[in-house]
Amino acid sequence: MNYQIFKSESRGGGNHGWLNSKHSYSFANYYDPARIHFGALRVVNDDIITGGMGFGKHPHDNMEIITIPTKGGISHEDSMGTGSVIESGDVQVMSAGTGVFHSEMNAYENQEGHFFQIWIIPNKMNVEPRYQQISVRDVAKENELYQVLSPNADDQGVWIHQDAWIFLGNYTEDKQETYKVQKEGNGVFFMVVEGEVEFDGNKLGRRDVIEIKDTNEFSFNVAKDSRLMLIEVPMDI
């Protein structure tokens, strides 16, 4: 097993007034040649948007774009005719494919919106653009990891054009956990969203990340009142 730890303060980004964003990988004005991507994982942005503000209509193509709000709601509109609000407890995916325009605004005037936006490089180019949004409240479990994204339309959660998986975890008690890699050769981006995790003798706190590869499974200890996000992706990109 090979792994590398990145502390939360090592992320790029900046506070733009209406937007306070942290970037795990090079994005916008943040560029680090050593932090371009992790396999097929191209972007993990940790965004806080002021009430009523957001991103106006802009284009994307050939990217799988996943939005996971953690507080508040994001109002989404796109050139496919989709209009919706993505709330905390929802997961949204947009396969940009041949090209799509969309906007993302804080749905509420009087509160901040907090969300993760994740970009994964697809394994199929120039597909027909598609949109999918689900609530994961009914499948969320306490004190164990639960799947919210996979490559398979019939599986739990949303699906994308890539051999990738996303698992979330909400822990109300101390727990020793083991994650089994879904596809041989894949790597895992492991973020401590809140709380504390011990991994291979290392103490990790809020927004700290481990990139793990060259293993079929790994174990870790989760402290109570912790939240996790694991993103598994192919590494041969």
Side-chain angles (χ1 to χ4, degrees), residues 50-79:
T50 299
M53 302 296 288
F55 302 94
K57 194 159 283 189
H58 57 281
H60 292 285
D61 62 52
N62 288 319
M63 193 64 69
E64 302 292 311
I65 300 170
I66 301 102
T67 302
I68 304 178
T70 58
K71 179 181 178 182
I74 303 297
S75 177
H76 168 97
E77 293 184 1
D78 63 45
S79 55

Side-chain angles (χ1 to χ4, degrees), residues 4 19 21 28 42 71 76 127 174 177 205 210-211 237:
Q4 192 168 3
L19 169 67
S21 185
R42 176 61 188 85
K71 179 181 178 182
H76 168 97
V127 300
D174 295 344
E177 189 71 274
I210 326 166
E211 292 177 348
I237 290 180

Side-chain angles (χ1 to χ4, degrees), residues 11-13 21-27 30 35-38 40-47 64 66 68 115-120 166 189-191 193 207 209 211 229-231 233:
R11 297 178 296 173
S21 185
K22 295 293 185 182
H23 311 315
S24 292
Y25 301 102
S26 296
F27 187 86
Y30 166 59
R35 301 289 295 156
I36 301 296
H37 64 102
F38 177 66
L41 182 59
R42 176 61 188 85
V43 166
V44 180
N45 287 350
D46 182 3
D47 292 339
E64 302 292 311
I66 301 102
I68 304 178
F115 70 104
F116 290 107
Q117 186 163 98
I118 299 156
W119 294 8
I120 296 176
I166 297 179
F189 171 99
F190 179 157
M191 175 181 276
V193 177
R207 277 13 184 216
V209 164
E211 292 177 348
M229 177 170 67
L230 281 69
I231 306 173
V233 292

Side-chain angles (χ1 to χ4, degrees), residues 182-196:
Q182 305 297 304
K183 183 177 181 181
E184 186 173 359
N186 277 5
V188 178
F189 171 99
F190 179 157
M191 175 181 276
V192 182
V193 177
E194 303 286 350
E196 186 176 281

Side-chain angles (χ1 to χ4, degrees), residues 1-2 179-188 199 212-219:
M1 176 175 64
N2 291 317
Y179 180 80
K180 295 186 177 181
V181 175
Q182 305 297 304
K183 183 177 181 181
E184 186 173 359
N186 277 5
V188 178
F199 176 86
I212 304 166
K213 57 184 181 180
D214 301 328
T215 187
N216 292 322
E217 67 176 45
F218 55 88
S219 298

Side-chain angles (χ1 to χ4, degrees), residues 1-167:
M1 176 175 64
N2 291 317
Y3 67 86
Q4 192 168 3
I5 293 172
F6 296 92
K7 304 298 285 185
S8 63
E9 59 269 21
S10 72
R11 297 178 296 173
N15 192 332
H16 308 283
W18 66 272
L19 169 67
N20 188 357
S21 185
K22 295 293 185 182
H23 311 315
S24 292
Y25 301 102
S26 296
F27 187 86
N29 294 328
Y30 166 59
Y31 176 73
D32 180 344
R35 301 289 295 156
I36 301 296
H37 64 102
F38 177 66
L41 182 59
R42 176 61 188 85
V43 166
V44 180
N45 287 350
D46 182 3
D47 292 339
I48 301 174
I49 298 180
T50 299
M53 302 296 288
F55 302 94
K57 194 159 283 189
H58 57 281
H60 292 285
D61 62 52
N62 288 319
M63 193 64 69
E64 302 292 311
I65 300 170
I66 301 102
T67 302
I68 304 178
T70 58
K71 179 181 178 182
I74 303 297
S75 177
H76 168 97
E77 293 184 1
D78 63 45
S79 55
M80 295 178 283
T82 308
S84 66
V85 174
I86 312 137
E87 303 274 3
S88 176
D90 296 336
V91 175
Q92 173 225 50
V93 63
M94 188 173 66
S95 298
T98 55
V100 65
F101 283 80
H102 79 138
S103 63
E104 299 159 294
M105 308 294 292
N106 187 328
Y108 303 106
E109 293 284 344
N110 59 355
Q111 65 173 304
E112 292 179 338
H114 296 216
F115 70 104
F116 290 107
Q117 186 163 98
I118 299 156
W119 294 8
I120 296 176
I121 300 167
N123 57 17
K124 295 180 181 179
M125 297 291 117
N126 298 316
V127 300
E128 181 180 354
R130 60 177 285 271
Y131 180 93
Q132 185 184 10
Q133 177 181 337
I134 66 166
S135 169
V136 295
R137 296 171 186 85
D138 293 339
V139 300
K141 300 176 181 178
E142 284 192 351
N143 302 312
E144 64 179 279
L145 297 170
Y146 58 94
Q147 178 181 296
V148 299
L149 177 143
S150 80
N152 307 307
D154 295 332
D155 278 1
Q156 179 174 293
V158 295
W159 68 274
I160 62 170
H161 297 284
Q162 186 53 276
D163 292 325
W165 286 259
I166 297 179
F167 286 81

